[in-house]
Amino acid sequence: VYDHLYGAGKATESGCWSHMRQYVLDALLIDPDRVREAMTCIQALFAIERGIANAPPAVRTTVRAEKSAPAMEWLFAWCDLH
């Protein structure tokens, strides 16, 4: 439905972390030992966002660069391994 919006020279599609978290919760039922690491990281990302929800945009950008970016890099590397 939205394919016409995304692509070269158009908007960048991004996913919803709430939906991502739900998929990881579902996976916890299948392989809890392996998936628990990913869920811990995702929960940390949500905690960071809660902590900066009312902060000015510049502060949110700084905190995301300092705290969220390393966590996301770890999570993406974890996904590549599993």
Side-chain angles (χ1 to χ4, degrees):
V1 173
Y2 297 103
D3 290 344
H4 66 282
L5 296 174
Y6 307 114
K10 298 180 181 179
T12 301
E13 184 175 9
S14 64
C16 169
W17 279 97
S18 292
H19 286 102
M20 165 63 170
R21 180 172 56 176
Q22 186 58 52
Y23 289 120
V24 173
L25 279 171
D26 293 344
L28 276 170
L29 299 173
I30 298 166
D31 194 350
D33 292 333
R34 183 170 24 166
V35 178
R36 193 170 289 116
E37 292 176 317
M39 179 54 75
T40 299
C41 184
I42 292 168
Q43 294 298 81
L45 288 167
F46 273 78
I48 292 166
E49 288 299 311
R50 279 192 304 274
I52 60 174
N54 296 318
V59 171
R60 291 194 310 263
T61 298
T62 300
V63 171
R64 287 173 179 154
E66 292 174 356
K67 295 183 179 180
S68 298
M72 290 179 66
E73 287 176 20
W74 180 91
L75 182 60
F76 293 148
W78 182 92
C79 288
D80 287 341
L81 291 174
H82 299 87

